[in-house]
Amino acid sequence: MSKSLEFCKERAKNKEISCLFDRNWDDAGEVESLALFERILEGNRKYKIKGEEDGEAREFTISLIFDPDADFDYFTSSRSIHDGTMVFVFENMENCAKRVILAETYYTKKGKPQPGDTIQYTIGNFVVLNEFDENRDLFAPKDKPYLQERTTVLLPLRYDLINGE
């Protein structure tokens, strides 16, 4: 077990900072994140993104480090209720990865990135929790009784901001 799993379980259980405290995090497991990022980014670990958000220019350099035992700041998450098909688990992992790849997540205590900044993300392993609603009374909608599984995926991150020159 790496720090990724320990960190996410501890923070997710904390009612003060997480809306995910109602889950049984003792059943969570870890999935390596590097392979998914490598597939999406074709091995790139440093790249630039450009665009516009709310009428403002967005131009950042993104630098990625993979370390499941880092001292993380926070996690990003994705969740869904589904029929148990594995594609939904992978979709949740991809949602977390895309937030990092597109610089759509940051640690508020360290500040929002400004155009020209370099964002260095240290990425841990995915933490995955699958829960089953066999009685169809916890989270399965009454009109869709086949949706008996809830998946929550967490991705621990360290966020370091390097101001542009």
Side-chain angles (χ1 to χ4, degrees):
M1 177 170 72
S2 74
K3 282 187 182 178
S4 297
L5 185 59
E6 293 172 31
F7 175 83
C8 286
K9 285 170 64 171
E10 182 179 313
R11 284 190 61 104
K13 289 178 182 181
N14 186 335
K15 292 180 185 182
E16 303 286 322
I17 57 175
S18 175
C19 65
L20 304 171
F21 63 86
D22 63 338
R23 289 151 171 79
N24 182 1
W25 289 101
D26 295 334
D27 296 335
E30 214 173 325
V31 177
E32 185 212 52
S33 64
L34 178 60
L36 177 63
F37 279 88
E38 292 279 323
R39 182 178 56 82
I40 293 171
L41 293 171
E42 299 177 344
N44 291 325
R45 294 203 185 172
K46 191 168 187 175
Y47 56 93
K48 290 187 183 275
I49 61 168
K50 293 181 183 184
E52 197 172 296
E53 183 179 294
D54 299 328
E56 292 184 32
R58 291 180 80 228
E59 184 174 334
F60 308 116
T61 299
I62 309 296
S63 176
L64 305 177
I65 298 170
F66 294 88
D67 182 359
D69 291 312
D71 290 324
F72 301 109
D73 294 320
Y74 70 109
F75 61 74
T76 190
S77 66
S78 179
R79 51 196 174 268
S80 62
I81 297 173
H82 54 88
D83 63 2
T85 308
M86 283 299 293
V87 71
F88 295 104
V89 176
F90 295 120
E91 187 176 86
N92 282 297
M93 289 191 292
E94 285 181 344
N95 288 341
C96 290
K98 285 178 184 175
R99 284 190 197 111
V100 172
I101 291 167
L102 299 174
E104 294 175 347
T105 182
Y106 65 93
Y107 188 49
T108 56
K109 291 182 179 180
K110 291 186 179 177
K112 185 176 182 177
Q114 300 301 311
D117 286 349
T118 295
I119 303 167
Q120 182 174 286
Y121 289 109
T122 303
I123 302 166
N125 287 333
F126 292 107
V127 173
V128 179
L129 176 64
N130 289 308
E131 302 167 283
F132 302 95
D133 184 6
E134 295 172 7
N135 298 324
R136 298 185 187 127
D137 60 353
L138 294 175
F139 43 79
K142 301 299 180 209
D143 61 332
K144 298 179 182 178
Y146 51 89
L147 300 179
Q148 296 181 28
E149 186 168 341
R150 177 168 67 180
T151 296
T152 306
V153 174
L154 311 177
L155 182 61
L157 300 167
R158 178 177 174 87
Y159 168 85
D160 292 300
L161 194 56
I162 303 163
N163 293 355
E165 296 154 12

